Amino acid sequence: MSETLAAARAEFTKMRAVRATSVALLLFAAVSVFIAALGGWSAKGAIESDNPGLRSDFTPEQAGLDGILYGQLALIVFGVLMMSGEYTSGMMRVSLLAVPRRGRLYLAKTAVTAVAALAVALPVTVVSYLVTQLALGPHGSTFDADGVPRALAGAVVYLTLMSLLAVGVAAAARSAVLPLAVLLPLVLVGSQILSVIGATKEVARWFPDRAGAQMLTVDSGDALTGLLVLLAWTAAALTAGWLRHRSWDG
Amino acid sequence: MLAERLTKRYGPATVVDDLSFTVRPGVVTGFLGPNGAGKSTSMRMLLGLTRPDSGTATIGGRAYRDLTYPLRHVGALLETSAPHRGMTAVGHLSWLARSNRIPRRRVDEVLDAVGLTGAARKRVGTFSLGMGQRLGLAAALLGDPPVLVLDEPVNGLDAEGIRWLRELLRAKAAEGRTVLVSSHLMAEMAQVADELIVISRGRLLAETSVSEFIGRHGRTFVRVRTPEPLRAAQELQAKGATSVRRAADGGLEVDGLPAGEVNRIAAAAGVPVEELSTHTGSLEETFLKLVDDGGDPTHV
Ligand SMILES: Nc1ncnc2c1ncn2[C@@H]1O[C@H](COP(=O)(O)OP(=O)(O)OP(=O)(O)O)[C@@H](O)[C@H]1O
Ligand SMILES: [Mg+2]
């Protein structure tokens, strides 16, 4: 056990030592809060000018969760980089010399990714929500409005699971390029587009990000289903990554 | 450190073929073979990175991956194991130290030992080949391990670095540690190794001490300088020399006769001798000869 703990502490140090992973985390915070502020500020303008451009289903509570939906891209990049860094320049060999048990290394890495994502997602989610409300001014809602605490908690879990999904995909692909090329467009536009096209709508509902988004939808009746679907995706990705990692030979 | 019947195939090619050897503590063991002989692959198998198709590799009786905090038992340098380019030297060594609960002060100690203190906070991606190699050596020394496994450690090192490394390896061996160093250059091995493991095409050619290796495989000849080389050559060949060659500087190299005999034959024939000495072929020649012989183990 203490060896696994040492491996996890080492992964934490490694995470901080690699600049790209730290940058991705900072970017997640910056983008989320910035979009949250921008969204709140522009919605306030729209409300006060009776702008029809405002979405019909606009609520200040839900608007408070928009920022992290964009910020999550950086968190996915973070998850991918946490793993893919091992496949550049022979780093994996060094890591396996230090921690030769395949399972221990993989566990340490996923655990550190989860803890780091969680630790950052929690304050960023809360701050983003508050920033949006602040920007909305008189139209803003409160922290304890109906369904909000649950949606915020759902958002934190969602973000953590998405970063773990990214770890699993990167481990399965043993690279950064492929996972990023699949995950980022999927989250950014793919499933949004698919979910408005009638034929693919049903399918898109089961995509990890679409399903997971129910968790951070205020008053969604499907939050639990969303959680289970995203959990299944994450578990599948981590398992695929584990199988690929376990067979590492070289 | 023990390799027992290690075999590794990549596709149809058998890269390491039924290879067994022992590496003892207290001496520097050279692991020698031409390019592609399978040295790196064997070392990776010793270190639990590459899975052998059959056979076992153990260090102090245990497989590498069963070692508790392995960096404290074995320090390894591999050809293709560079830290993440975005890390600093300190950052890299720090996480390594953490992973095996090695005291933090060792990081500064090994950076100092390999002469990287000045570059400690530089990113690894900006390192030169030699600096990267020094960082790899620092990582190997980090846990102050009783066993060192170094794959081509002189790669990229400057003359000063090579001398430093030789002294380090000898000092480690003198302390009773186990040191395995690979090289494809016999001359390099001759400078540092006591024992030799020679492989070619994945198979063991020789496992012996350096001096014994030369004694068995080396060509011993007698050099003669004389103003009458032609007559001397005729006389010597008539009296049992297996071959007499003319060296570039005009001297003769005589095989098959001891120096005393050469002297007597020359004196009896009235050929004046200006210089007479016994030579043993260089390790490099010996090594190439052995590899050329095709690695038939009956030669050993
Ligand atoms: N991962 C791999 N996949 C396929 N072939 C490999 C792999 N690793 C090594 N080989 C092959 O195995 C053979 C032995 O390689 P190895 O690196 O062990 O030789 P070496 O003795 O270290 O040579 P060098 O002196 O050039 O470092 C080579 O023919 C190489 O092409
Ligand atoms: Mg090699």
Side-chain angles (χ1 to χ4, degrees):
Chain A
M1 188 59 218
S2 67
E3 268 187 277
T4 307
L5 206 62
R9 291 184 60 212
E11 284 301 324
F12 185 67
T13 312
K14 195 194 278 180
M15 176 190 87
R16 287 185 309 165
V18 177
R19 213 163 53 170
T21 43
S22 317
V23 169
L25 278 183
L26 280 178
L27 212 60
F28 161 67
V31 170
S32 299
V33 174
F34 177 72
I35 301 277
L38 197 68
W41 176 74
S42 65
K44 175 169 179 271
I47 294 167
E48 289 174 354
S49 64
D50 266 338
N51 190 328
L54 203 61
R55 295 170 54 167
S56 59
D57 59 352
F58 174 88
T59 65
E61 290 85 6
Q62 198 57 54
L65 286 148
D66 277 351
I68 53 159
L69 283 180
Y70 289 91
Q72 69 167 318
L73 294 172
L75 209 56
I76 288 169
V77 172
F78 164 72
V80 168
L81 291 180
M82 276 296 283
M83 198 69 215
S84 68
E86 297 289 333
Y87 303 108
T88 64
S89 67
M91 180 77 166
M92 183 63 93
R93 290 212 173 100
V94 190
S95 296
L96 287 176
L97 284 177
V99 184
R101 295 284 177 145
R102 306 300 194 256
R104 180 173 288 147
L105 183 65
Y106 194 71
L107 181 69
K109 210 159 204 50
T110 44
V112 167
T113 307
V115 169
L118 187 75
V120 177
L122 183 66
V124 168
T125 302
V126 171
V127 167
S128 296
Y129 180 83
L130 293 177
V131 161
T132 304
Q133 308 314 323
L134 213 65
L136 277 164
H139 314 288
S141 180
T142 56
F143 188 67
D144 54 3
D146 235 14
V148 167
R150 202 216 61 194
L152 292 180
V156 173
V157 175
Y158 168 80
L159 290 168
T160 306
L161 288 177
M162 286 301 276
S163 72
L164 283 178
L165 178 82
V167 169
V169 173
R174 286 192 189 158
S175 85
V177 181
L178 189 69
L180 291 178
V182 172
L183 291 175
L184 293 186
L186 176 81
V187 170
L188 192 60
V189 284
S191 52
Q192 307 254 358
I193 290 173
L194 292 178
S195 65
V196 293
I197 300 171
T200 51
K201 196 170 176 169
E202 267 309 300
V203 181
R205 267 182 52 201
W206 301 97
F207 282 13
D209 59 320
R210 284 275 99 194
Q214 294 298 327
M215 298 161 68
L216 45 103
T217 303
V218 181
D219 283 335
S220 166
D222 290 333
L224 187 63
T225 317
L227 170 65
L228 293 177
V229 171
L230 180 54
L231 268 178
W233 276 99
T234 306
L238 285 176
T239 306
W242 159 240
L243 292 176
R244 193 84 203 279
H245 176 71
R246 196 181 54 171
S247 67
W248 202 90
D249 188 47
Chain B
M1 199 153 47
L2 204 64
E4 282 171 295
R5 314 205 58 172
L6 283 178
T7 300
K8 180 69 185 178
R9 281 180 282 272
Y10 284 117
T14 303
V15 168
V16 175
D17 192 358
D18 201 21
L19 182 63
S20 304
F21 58 80
T22 312
V23 186
R24 290 187 294 111
V27 289
V28 176
T29 303
F31 194 27
L32 187 68
N35 289 135
K39 304 180 294 293
S40 300
T41 307
S42 304
M43 286 175 141
R44 290 201 309 273
M45 288 194 280
L46 279 175
L47 299 168
L49 290 172
T50 295
R51 228 171 255 120
D53 289 310
S54 62
T56 54
T58 50
I59 297 168
R62 289 200 285 168
Y64 186 88
R65 64 167 80 191
D66 294 333
L67 297 173
T68 312
Y69 297 127
L71 298 186
R72 299 192 203 164
H73 298 273
V74 184
L77 173 77
L78 292 170
E79 282 177 318
T80 44
S81 57
H84 194 288
R85 297 170 56 82
M87 279 188 190
T88 64
V90 169
H92 178 57
L93 294 173
S94 298
W95 81 257
L96 275 178
R98 277 241 158 119
S99 69
N100 279 245
R101 291 193 201 275
I102 294 163
R104 176 57 230 259
R105 67 178 159 77
R106 284 293 297 160
V107 172
D108 299 322
E109 285 174 14
V110 294
L111 277 171
D112 189 47
V114 302
L116 276 183
T117 306
R121 305 206 174 267
K122 270 200 182 173
R123 295 206 296 134
V124 172
T126 67
F127 276 19
S128 68
L129 180 62
M131 288 165 82
Q133 198 73 350
R134 282 165 190 265
L135 179 58
L137 286 166
L141 297 172
L142 190 63
D144 197 19
V147 178
L148 286 172
V149 177
L150 310 176
D151 195 5
E152 314 244 3
V154 302
N155 261 2
L157 289 187
D158 53 23
E160 174 62 40
I162 292 175
R163 197 168 57 224
W164 165 80
L165 181 67
R166 271 186 212 138
E167 274 157 25
L168 177 86
L169 296 182
R170 280 203 215 95
K172 294 289 176 192
E175 289 167 23
R177 300 182 203 235
T178 306
V179 183
L180 180 67
V181 210
S182 81
S183 172
H184 54 269
L185 290 177
M186 191 69 168
E188 182 50 47
M189 291 283 88
Q191 309 247 20
V192 70
D194 309 298
E195 297 286 320
L196 274 185
I197 295 166
V198 186
I199 66 168
S200 174
R201 278 175 250 135
R203 309 178 73 201
L204 185 72
L205 295 191
E207 189 178 12
T208 151
S209 72
V210 171
S211 52
E212 192 184 332
F213 182 72
I214 300 172
R216 281 221 203 162
H217 302 283
R219 183 170 71 95
T220 305
F221 61 91
V222 177
R223 252 186 73 84
V224 192
R225 275 189 79 85
T226 163
E228 295 181 50
L230 275 180
R231 207 154 65 78
Q234 279 166 7
E235 282 296 326
L236 289 166
Q237 259 161 349
K239 298 273 162 45
T242 51
S243 103
V244 180
R245 281 177 316 277
R246 192 78 173 262
D249 65 351
L252 295 178
E253 293 181 3
V254 184
D255 281 358
L257 289 174
E261 192 65 19
V262 171
N263 197 19
R264 246 185 320 265
I265 293 166
V271 177
V273 171
E274 294 167 341
E275 182 198 325
L276 188 71
S277 53
T278 304
H279 289 259
T280 303
S282 76
L283 270 174
E284 206 66 58
E285 277 176 49
T286 313
F287 166 54
L288 290 174
K289 180 165 162 276
L290 181 69
V291 171
D292 282 345
D293 285 348
D296 182 350
T298 55
H299 283 271
V300 179

